[in-house]
């Protein structure tokens, strides 16, 4: 997962976003153990303190839980995973709409453009 991080957003938040997306897509299942802080730091190419902050933030959000002496696990609660999915969806839509409005597009322009895009996607483009 060693990757390029955006300068505009804290690295620990970017790692949390990446893990959250993996959880929502089902790549990381509820109840599954996350890599240790040290392992995740090596894979991500960041300081272990950054990963610890990521895990702490995700725990504060109710996405993961730390079991003393065992590690950090994805919460076994489908409602929380569904809520996370809805939250991520809203954030993506918000960024999209703000970008389109920044181009001066109306609501009608945005929805029509999206409909055309989705129709093209269904046609195999």
């Amino acid at each position: 997962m060693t990757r390029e991080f955006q300068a505009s957003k804290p690295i620990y938040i970017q790692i949390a976003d990446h893990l959250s997306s993996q959880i929502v897509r089902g790549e990381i299942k509820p109840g599954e153990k996350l890599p240790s802080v040290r392992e995740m730091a090596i894979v991500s190419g960041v300081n272990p303190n950054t990963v610890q902050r990521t895990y702490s933030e995700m725990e504060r959000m109710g996405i993961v839980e730390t079991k003393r002496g065992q590690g950090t696990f994805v919460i076994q609660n489908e409602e929380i995973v569904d809520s996370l999915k809805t939250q991520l969806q809203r954030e993506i839509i918000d960024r999209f709409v703000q970008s389109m409005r920044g181009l001066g597009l109306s609501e009608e322009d945005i929805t029509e453009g999206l409909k055309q895009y989705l129709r093209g996607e269904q046609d195999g483009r």
Side-chain angles (χ1 to χ4, degrees):
M1 179 175 132
T2 301
R3 47 186 264 196
E4 296 293 316
F5 293 104
Q6 303 167 6
S8 62
K9 194 174 193 181
I11 291 172
Y12 78 98
I13 296 289
Q14 292 178 62
I15 295 170
D17 289 348
H18 180 74
L19 290 170
S20 295
S21 293
Q22 287 183 300
I23 292 167
V24 165
R25 287 191 305 265
E27 294 170 14
I28 303 174
K29 307 276 188 240
E32 189 171 327
K33 185 179 189 279
L34 295 180
S36 72
V37 168
R38 184 163 289 144
E39 289 173 72
M40 182 62 85
I42 291 168
V43 170
S44 301
V46 299
N47 186 297
N49 293 333
T50 301
V51 176
Q52 183 58 55
R53 190 165 182 193
T54 297
Y55 285 3
S56 295
E57 179 65 15
M58 292 179 76
E59 188 163 18
R60 185 191 66 72
M61 296 168 65
I63 301 169
V64 300
E65 61 183 342
T66 301
K67 297 178 183 176
R68 196 170 194 83
Q70 296 178 39
T72 303
F73 297 81
V74 176
I75 200 84
Q76 286 188 292
N77 183 330
E78 289 297 327
E79 289 177 16
I80 290 182
V81 174
D82 289 344
S83 174
L84 179 61
K85 187 175 199 170
T86 299
Q87 176 189 341
L88 292 175
Q89 177 187 24
R90 285 185 181 144
E91 289 172 8
I92 292 167
I93 290 170
D94 183 58
R95 285 193 303 267
F96 170 76
V97 170
Q98 294 305 319
S99 294
M100 294 297 108
R101 286 189 174 146
L103 294 173
L105 298 173
S106 68
E107 183 178 322
E108 185 177 304
D109 293 334
I110 295 169
T111 54
E112 186 54 39
L114 186 56
K115 285 177 187 175
Q116 287 176 0
Y117 175 83
L118 293 172
R119 278 194 297 268
E121 189 176 81
Q122 291 167 355
D123 292 341
R125 288 184 227 158

